[in-house]
Amino acid sequence: MTLGIIALNIIVYLLVNVAQLTEVKFATIAFGHIPSVSYDRVNLPTQYQIFPEYLYGLTALTASFLHANFMHIAGNMLFIWVFGDNVEDAMGHWRFLIFYLLCAYAASWFHAFSFPESNAPLIGASGAAAGIVAAYLMLHPKMKVWVLFLGRFPLKLPAFILLGIWIAFQGVMYIADSGSNVSWAAHVGGIIAGIVLVGIFKRKSVPLFDRQVIIPEAVEISPEATLPEGVLPNSSVWGRGTK
């Protein structure tokens, strides 16, 4: 599902932004999520009304598959690629897809809730990606993540430090930078959804907070490998292709 989500985002980007199957402006207004329209403060012009008024909430999902430019989609897909497969392992394929869509919806809704008068369309998968990051932090806070310190020096830090700082930064910017082109509100909405939903959608056998490290069944261990103390090899149904 992680690769499928990334592929779908890339396909939509190529069709809209590169091949220009439809005008970028049209796609942004018609399929982006506009808070003022969502709250019935203004009416969407007729030429942009793809969805009936009672189904306008679907744009909270379609907006997450649209991106403004290459750097916009590249950054979002990088986050989904790095953290998404681990969260998918913990949830299973279909539950992860539902989790992703709910995070995307929550991100759009929280943005609209925060700025109900805004006429600017919200687009991008960053809210859903933020939900994935939050879920990863809830699942694997002790895992080490590589980061380029000062943009130059590779440094390996526990996820709870690196991602904890990132999540805190989103909250600070949501409060302090309401006029930015970046929707910090969507990020915060996705983070809240990720934290709330990970406990609901994860498999029962998968612990939160790395209380017990379990190697997924998708991982093959060489016979001569020595496992760290407390690590259980394939002792639970947690991995791709399992129920």
Side-chain angles (χ1 to χ4, degrees), residues 5 10 21 25 92 94 106 132 151 153 166 169 176 184 190 199 209 217 223 229 231-233:
I5 289 169
I10 293 174
L21 186 64
K25 178 182 177 181
W94 292 106
I132 289 176
F153 306 104
W166 184 85
F169 178 76
W184 305 107
F209 309 116
E217 290 186 353
E229 183 179 355
V231 177
L232 304 179

Side-chain angles (χ1 to χ4, degrees), residues 13-227:
Y13 177 79
L14 292 176
L15 290 176
V16 175
N17 297 65
V18 179
Q20 295 187 346
L21 186 64
T22 181
E23 291 185 5
V24 175
K25 178 182 177 181
F26 176 85
T28 301
I29 297 175
F31 296 101
H33 191 67
I34 305 174
S36 59
V37 177
S38 178
Y39 278 92
D40 293 325
R41 306 291 173 87
V42 300
N43 293 321
L44 195 65
T46 305
Q47 64 267 33
Y48 298 111
Q49 293 180 4
I50 301 299
F51 299 104
E53 185 177 346
Y54 64 92
L55 291 178
Y56 186 77
L58 289 176
T59 60
L61 297 178
T62 58
S64 68
F65 292 95
L66 296 171
H67 291 85
N69 51 54
F70 175 77
M71 293 307 297
H72 189 201
I73 188 173
N76 286 339
M77 295 307 102
L78 178 63
F79 270 80
I80 294 173
W81 177 63
V82 171
F83 300 106
D85 58 344
N86 299 98
V87 178
E88 182 177 349
D89 274 339
M91 295 181 177
H93 307 309
W94 292 106
R95 275 186 278 187
F96 174 74
L97 176 61
I98 297 172
F99 167 84
Y100 179 88
L101 294 175
L102 288 176
C103 285
Y105 187 91
S108 296
W109 177 87
F110 194 76
H111 171 82
F113 173 79
S114 300
F115 307 104
E117 303 292 339
S118 174
N119 295 320
L122 173 71
I123 60 173
S126 57
I132 289 176
V133 171
Y136 182 91
L137 182 60
M138 296 286 287
L139 290 164
H140 306 300
K142 299 177 184 178
M143 295 296 292
K144 300 293 183 67
V145 179
W146 283 103
V147 61
L148 285 177
F149 181 66
L150 299 178
R152 183 173 301 180
F153 306 104
L155 189 63
K156 203 172 185 180
L157 295 173
F160 76 88
I161 294 179
L162 181 63
L163 300 185
I165 292 174
W166 184 85
I167 288 175
F169 178 76
Q170 309 309 305
V172 170
M173 295 304 292
Y174 168 63
I175 297 172
D177 189 21
S178 60
S180 172
N181 288 332
V182 176
S183 177
W184 305 107
H187 297 181
V188 171
I191 289 167
I192 294 172
I195 292 173
V196 171
L197 295 175
V198 64
I200 299 173
F201 283 89
K202 74 175 184 66
R203 292 188 175 103
K204 292 181 180 179
S205 58
V206 178
L208 291 173
F209 309 116
D210 280 331
R211 288 194 300 263
Q212 184 180 26
V213 180
I214 304 172
I215 298 178
E217 290 186 353
V219 174
E220 295 183 4
I221 305 173
S222 62
E224 63 275 11
T226 302
L227 297 178

